[in-house]
Amino acid sequence: MTCRSLRDLDDPETNFEFFLNEFQVIGGGAAAAACFSLNSCLHAAILAPVLHERPQYGVIMNIHEYQAKEILRSFGIPVPQGRVAFREAQVERAARELGGRCVVKAQIYAGGRGKAGGVRLVATPEEAVQTAKNLFGKTLVTPQTGPEGLIVRRILVEEAVEVSREFYLSLTLDRQTSRYCIIASAEGGMEIEAIAEKSPEKIHLLTIDPFVGLRTYQARKLALALGMRGNVCEECVTLIMNLYRCCLEKDCSLVEINPLVVTGSDWLLAMDAKMNLDDNALFRHPEYQEMTDLSQIDPLEITAGEFDLSYIKLKGSIGCMVNGAGLAMATLDMLSEYGGEPANFLDVGGGAGRDRVAAAFRIILDDPAVKGVFVNIFGGIMRCDVIAEGIIQAASDTGCHLPIVVRMDGTLVEEGKRLLHESGLNVRFTHDLTEGVQAIVGMVR
Amino acid sequence: MSILVNRNSKVVVQGITGRAGLFHTRQCRDYGTNIVAGVTPGKGGGVIEGIPVFDTVEEAVRATGADVSMIFVPPAGAADALLEAAAAGVGLAVCITEGIPVRDMVLAKRALQESATIMIGPNCPGIITPGECKVGIMPGDIHLKGRIGVVSRSGTLTYEAVKQLTVMGLGQSTCIGIGGDPIIGLNFIDALRMFNEDPETEGVCLIGEIGGGAEEEAALWIRNNMNKPVTAFIAGRTAPPGKRMGHAGAIVSGGKGRAEDKIRALQECGIPVAASPARMGETMAGAIKKVARR
């Protein structure tokens, strides 16, 4: 048995591991064998590894709760009645239509909104407007947003629902088996890690064999394990089947319903929903591009996305341009080790031409915090002369006089060096990685 | 000796007429790889760069006896290309393509598990046995034939390691980039097992990064099975939690998946971890010397 731990869902500070055992199938060996042969058996969380690998980032393919709920609804999954609002007047109208008493929910690309004051139960449309007034334009800081927080531009107004029970339900990729898996618990409403820590035996796991697909008997077993009986259980079976269908058709990398509730009148309802979409599948879903809320993404990251560059803004003063994600990460590690603070992560990619390199360099220089640039290129597919031409183009376009340290190696490196040397830019070459890192850290200090 | 590819490997290139496919076909052939066929649906019967082009992998295999496939098919068709390679009985399918949807790979991986085909990648630089056979996009000239195995989740970071090894006179038996995606074929342990059984590999350099638990599992496997020195490097120590660093697989959001957990796991299993990417070669040299002294 290998050990796997649950990844942190909501609080980057927490760090724990726990183990689960395979579910003891009641009814003996035959059932268990059948179950295992399909390799999609139900586990209870006792001492075996949990298969949760949760993508938690938001560059392109994050969507808001209200959008996730629209998608779920289109797959027949019941969600509360609600309206999205961009202005206070829309909040008031929505609250009236919903009968006055309702829930006002800030829509940002991060969880943990409740504790940050982003979710409020209100009694009247007037109170809803007052709450919305305080939320629109406000920057919410939650454990998932980082200290800079995210600005609220959209608000979801939803009917208030009487809740009798809460559950946790999610579907994501299990990296270890390379299959989708469903994670469920009768302890809903709190973060899955918290459940894992407090009562791991209450987490149930269902790994789906893609050849067989999800079968209703498996969904039923899961619903029964959650303690559901009768109509609610059958409703839940349908809901789980629809969830899997949704995940496949919409190319979701994560769907999380937390809480899934049984209402006072015994209906199932997805009270809160989070959905991440697989950005590699964008070509199948052109509609996703329009769903992106650009107010939730750093403007430099948006520009980088347009040029197909992988860029993440960081807090330091040394701009970095590197080819390859691994080398880029290692370069940031080295800068920090030598006392420098990287201003960004930027992977210019393998097949970038001169224009893309120039765009990358301009994005780095657009960050006012940048006091110097470190270029680390190992030319595999990249040609060093192309990199040099891109740098020269961007630097002359922007009139850049910042110190630049270039560490290049690989295809046509001498040509690249010659071009940069003749350009008259404030460039220093190094052949050695450590020397290059030390040089830029010294020049920026 | 080496693992997976050698001078006898016969390579078919799927997507040979595309820009990247053709460029790297030339590069690989110039390196000495025996490229026997290309496949591009609709272009069967043609010849490109003196290489016969077929409509299907099956035809290419039948006509040329190709046993390794190098895949440059665009993301929308790449999973299909993998399945086609497996159906045609190709023993090793190396998928360079980046950006294949997860849903496609879930199915492809499941199907490949039922076949005899080994998949490397996707989203990887490929595999090279220096001096014999290059199946991928790595720069050939930094490699030196020798006795160190290299296995890595990253591309350019692998080149960095190889270059350092070469400069120190430590040649390589075979270098494999296993890819940075959440779903990959050949994993660390598969490669380590092969290197362990390869009489001409003396030590293995393992390069990992944040996200997932593959390095931790490899560490345990090495402690329990490996009879050769292994050294490691892990990229992403300073990655901010919750941010995605280029590879879909390289996600860290606290807990497992963090570089420091991986480094600790490796060290606890007695594996030296290079403190900096500039010291990957040095670290391996030290480990080899230690074995020699024993």
Side-chain angles (χ1 to χ4, degrees), chain A residues 247-268:
Chain A
C247 169
L248 291 188
E249 282 182 32
K250 290 291 176 180
D251 281 293
C252 301
S253 50
L254 169 78
V255 189
E256 185 174 62
I257 301 175
N258 188 24
L260 169 71
V261 305
V262 176
T263 66
S265 39
D266 261 4
W267 289 104
L268 274 179

mmCIF file of all heavy atoms in Angstrom, chain A residues 247-268:
data_model
loop_
_atom_site.group_PDB
_atom_site.id
_atom_site.type_symbol
_atom_site.label_atom_id
_atom_site.label_comp_id
_atom_site.label_asym_id
_atom_site.label_seq_id
_atom_site.Cartn_x
_atom_site.Cartn_y
_atom_site.Cartn_z
ATOM 1 N N CYS A 247 -19.024 16.235 -15.788
ATOM 2 C CA CYS A 247 -17.559 16.293 -15.741
ATOM 3 C C CYS A 247 -16.973 15.907 -17.100
ATOM 4 O O CYS A 247 -16.069 16.565 -17.606
ATOM 5 C CB CYS A 247 -17.065 15.371 -14.641
ATOM 6 S SG CYS A 247 -15.298 15.111 -14.678
ATOM 7 N N LEU A 248 -17.500 14.847 -17.700
ATOM 8 C CA LEU A 248 -16.973 14.388 -18.987
ATOM 9 C C LEU A 248 -17.315 15.365 -20.104
ATOM 10 O O LEU A 248 -16.450 15.784 -20.860
ATOM 11 C CB LEU A 248 -17.538 13.004 -19.328
ATOM 12 C CG LEU A 248 -17.065 11.840 -18.470
ATOM 13 C CD1 LEU A 248 -17.556 10.526 -19.067
ATOM 14 C CD2 LEU A 248 -15.544 11.805 -18.336
ATOM 15 N N GLU A 249 -18.608 15.737 -20.162
ATOM 16 C CA GLU A 249 -19.020 16.577 -21.293
ATOM 17 C C GLU A 249 -18.416 17.966 -21.223
ATOM 18 O O GLU A 249 -18.153 18.583 -22.241
ATOM 19 C CB GLU A 249 -20.555 16.663 -21.357
ATOM 20 C CG GLU A 249 -21.171 15.418 -21.959
ATOM 21 C CD GLU A 249 -22.672 15.513 -22.073
ATOM 22 O OE1 GLU A 249 -23.196 16.627 -22.284
ATOM 23 O OE2 GLU A 249 -23.333 14.452 -21.945
ATOM 24 N N LYS A 250 -18.207 18.465 -20.026
ATOM 25 C CA LYS A 250 -17.699 19.825 -19.881
ATOM 26 C C LYS A 250 -16.196 19.860 -19.606
ATOM 27 O O LYS A 250 -15.636 20.923 -19.358
ATOM 28 C CB LYS A 250 -18.457 20.534 -18.744
ATOM 29 C CG LYS A 250 -19.907 20.833 -19.095
ATOM 30 C CD LYS A 250 -19.980 21.901 -20.172
ATOM 31 C CE LYS A 250 -21.405 22.156 -20.624
ATOM 32 N NZ LYS A 250 -21.438 23.203 -21.680
ATOM 33 N N ASP A 251 -15.529 18.718 -19.606
ATOM 34 C CA ASP A 251 -14.090 18.668 -19.345
ATOM 35 C C ASP A 251 -13.714 19.387 -18.042
ATOM 36 O O ASP A 251 -12.884 20.295 -18.034
ATOM 37 C CB ASP A 251 -13.309 19.269 -20.514
ATOM 38 C CG ASP A 251 -13.181 18.290 -21.675
ATOM 39 O OD1 ASP A 251 -12.497 17.271 -21.515
ATOM 40 O OD2 ASP A 251 -13.770 18.551 -22.742
ATOM 41 N N CYS A 252 -14.350 18.972 -16.952
ATOM 42 C CA CYS A 252 -14.053 19.586 -15.660
ATOM 43 C C CYS A 252 -12.818 18.923 -15.056
ATOM 44 O O CYS A 252 -12.661 17.707 -15.132
ATOM 45 C CB CYS A 252 -15.209 19.388 -14.695
ATOM 46 S SG CYS A 252 -16.760 20.077 -15.296
ATOM 47 N N SER A 253 -11.952 19.706 -14.445
ATOM 48 C CA SER A 253 -10.873 19.086 -13.677
ATOM 49 C C SER A 253 -11.269 18.974 -12.207
ATOM 50 O O SER A 253 -10.663 18.232 -11.458
ATOM 51 C CB SER A 253 -9.562 19.848 -13.845
ATOM 52 O OG SER A 253 -9.742 21.214 -13.617
ATOM 53 N N LEU A 254 -12.273 19.719 -11.808
ATOM 54 C CA LEU A 254 -12.831 19.592 -10.465
ATOM 55 C C LEU A 254 -14.271 20.109 -10.445
ATOM 56 O O LEU A 254 -14.541 21.173 -10.985
ATOM 57 C CB LEU A 254 -12.007 20.416 -9.454
ATOM 58 C CG LEU A 254 -12.645 20.562 -8.064
ATOM 59 C CD1 LEU A 254 -12.467 19.300 -7.244
ATOM 60 C CD2 LEU A 254 -12.063 21.737 -7.305
ATOM 61 N N VAL A 255 -15.156 19.321 -9.850
ATOM 62 C CA VAL A 255 -16.474 19.851 -9.482
ATOM 63 C C VAL A 255 -16.643 19.542 -8.012
ATOM 64 O O VAL A 255 -16.489 18.400 -7.591
ATOM 65 C CB VAL A 255 -17.634 19.183 -10.247
ATOM 66 C CG1 VAL A 255 -18.931 19.935 -9.967
ATOM 67 C CG2 VAL A 255 -17.370 19.124 -11.729
ATOM 68 N N GLU A 256 -16.925 20.563 -7.247
ATOM 69 C CA GLU A 256 -17.089 20.352 -5.809
ATOM 70 C C GLU A 256 -18.427 20.927 -5.373
ATOM 71 O O GLU A 256 -18.683 22.112 -5.599
ATOM 72 C CB GLU A 256 -15.950 21.022 -5.053
ATOM 73 C CG GLU A 256 -15.966 20.764 -3.566
ATOM 74 C CD GLU A 256 -14.726 21.334 -2.892
ATOM 75 O OE1 GLU A 256 -14.539 22.565 -2.944
ATOM 76 O OE2 GLU A 256 -13.942 20.555 -2.338
ATOM 77 N N ILE A 257 -19.262 20.086 -4.784
ATOM 78 C CA ILE A 257 -20.534 20.552 -4.247
ATOM 79 C C ILE A 257 -20.425 20.461 -2.729
ATOM 80 O O ILE A 257 -20.385 19.369 -2.168
ATOM 81 C CB ILE A 257 -21.717 19.694 -4.757
ATOM 82 C CG1 ILE A 257 -21.785 19.745 -6.292
ATOM 83 C CG2 ILE A 257 -23.027 20.183 -4.147
ATOM 84 C CD1 ILE A 257 -22.851 18.836 -6.891
ATOM 85 N N ASN A 258 -20.325 21.603 -2.108
ATOM 86 C CA ASN A 258 -20.117 21.602 -0.657
ATOM 87 C C ASN A 258 -20.698 22.861 -0.024
ATOM 88 O O ASN A 258 -20.113 23.918 -0.132
ATOM 89 C CB ASN A 258 -18.625 21.517 -0.340
ATOM 90 C CG ASN A 258 -18.377 21.307 1.139
ATOM 91 O OD1 ASN A 258 -19.236 20.806 1.846
ATOM 92 N ND2 ASN A 258 -17.209 21.722 1.599
ATOM 93 N N PRO A 259 -21.844 22.746 0.598
ATOM 94 C CA PRO A 259 -22.525 21.483 0.877
ATOM 95 C C PRO A 259 -23.538 21.110 -0.186
ATOM 96 O O PRO A 259 -24.109 21.956 -0.851
ATOM 97 C CB PRO A 259 -23.249 21.800 2.184
ATOM 98 C CG PRO A 259 -23.572 23.257 2.077
ATOM 99 C CD PRO A 259 -22.465 23.881 1.288
ATOM 100 N N LEU A 260 -23.721 19.782 -0.284
ATOM 101 C CA LEU A 260 -24.903 19.227 -0.930
ATOM 102 C C LEU A 260 -25.889 19.061 0.216
ATOM 103 O O LEU A 260 -25.527 18.499 1.240
ATOM 104 C CB LEU A 260 -24.546 17.872 -1.550
ATOM 105 C CG LEU A 260 -25.710 17.016 -2.056
ATOM 106 C CD1 LEU A 260 -26.318 17.618 -3.319
ATOM 107 C CD2 LEU A 260 -25.236 15.591 -2.337
ATOM 108 N N VAL A 261 -27.102 19.585 0.064
ATOM 109 C CA VAL A 261 -27.998 19.548 1.222
ATOM 110 C C VAL A 261 -29.285 18.784 0.945
ATOM 111 O O VAL A 261 -29.722 18.661 -0.199
ATOM 112 C CB VAL A 261 -28.370 20.976 1.709
ATOM 113 C CG1 VAL A 261 -27.119 21.783 2.006
ATOM 114 C CG2 VAL A 261 -29.246 21.695 0.702
ATOM 115 N N VAL A 262 -29.856 18.272 2.028
ATOM 116 C CA VAL A 262 -31.237 17.806 2.004
ATOM 117 C C VAL A 262 -32.023 18.928 2.655
ATOM 118 O O VAL A 262 -31.702 19.367 3.765
ATOM 119 C CB VAL A 262 -31.414 16.497 2.798
ATOM 120 C CG1 VAL A 262 -32.889 16.098 2.843
ATOM 121 C CG2 VAL A 262 -30.585 15.395 2.165
ATOM 122 N N THR A 263 -33.031 19.434 1.926
ATOM 123 C CA THR A 263 -33.790 20.576 2.437
ATOM 124 C C THR A 263 -34.818 20.108 3.468
ATOM 125 O O THR A 263 -35.047 18.910 3.639
ATOM 126 C CB THR A 263 -34.541 21.280 1.297
ATOM 127 O OG1 THR A 263 -35.529 20.379 0.799
ATOM 128 C CG2 THR A 263 -33.597 21.678 0.179
ATOM 129 N N GLY A 264 -35.447 21.090 4.071
ATOM 130 C CA GLY A 264 -36.483 20.801 5.046
ATOM 131 C C GLY A 264 -37.616 19.961 4.454
ATOM 132 O O GLY A 264 -38.253 19.179 5.140
ATOM 133 N N SER A 265 -37.830 20.125 3.115
ATOM 134 C CA SER A 265 -38.890 19.344 2.487
ATOM 135 C C SER A 265 -38.333 18.127 1.743
ATOM 136 O O SER A 265 -38.924 17.655 0.775
ATOM 137 C CB SER A 265 -39.716 20.242 1.568
ATOM 138 O OG SER A 265 -38.896 21.157 0.877
ATOM 139 N N ASP A 266 -37.156 17.669 2.178
ATOM 140 C CA ASP A 266 -36.578 16.425 1.676
ATOM 141 C C ASP A 266 -36.178 16.431 0.207
ATOM 142 O O ASP A 266 -36.319 15.416 -0.489
ATOM 143 C CB ASP A 266 -37.545 15.250 1.945
ATOM 144 C CG ASP A 266 -37.125 14.480 3.187
ATOM 145 O OD1 ASP A 266 -36.150 14.933 3.847
ATOM 146 O OD2 ASP A 266 -37.725 13.450 3.485
ATOM 147 N N TRP A 267 -35.667 17.557 -0.279
ATOM 148 C CA TRP A 267 -35.106 17.612 -1.625
ATOM 149 C C TRP A 267 -33.605 17.768 -1.534
ATOM 150 O O TRP A 267 -33.100 18.417 -0.628
ATOM 151 C CB TRP A 267 -35.686 18.799 -2.408
ATOM 152 C CG TRP A 267 -37.112 18.640 -2.796
ATOM 153 C CD1 TRP A 267 -38.182 19.248 -2.215
ATOM 154 C CD2 TRP A 267 -37.620 17.821 -3.838
ATOM 155 N NE1 TRP A 267 -39.342 18.863 -2.832
ATOM 156 C CE2 TRP A 267 -39.033 17.983 -3.834
ATOM 157 C CE3 TRP A 267 -37.036 16.966 -4.781
ATOM 158 C CZ2 TRP A 267 -39.848 17.321 -4.734
ATOM 159 C CZ3 TRP A 267 -37.861 16.314 -5.678
ATOM 160 C CH2 TRP A 267 -39.258 16.490 -5.653
ATOM 161 N N LEU A 268 -32.907 17.209 -2.523
ATOM 162 C CA LEU A 268 -31.463 17.449 -2.602
ATOM 163 C C LEU A 268 -31.209 18.745 -3.358
ATOM 164 O O LEU A 268 -31.897 19.048 -4.329
ATOM 165 C CB LEU A 268 -30.777 16.310 -3.364
ATOM 166 C CG LEU A 268 -30.370 15.076 -2.574
ATOM 167 C CD1 LEU A 268 -29.740 14.068 -3.529
ATOM 168 C CD2 LEU A 268 -29.398 15.418 -1.456
#
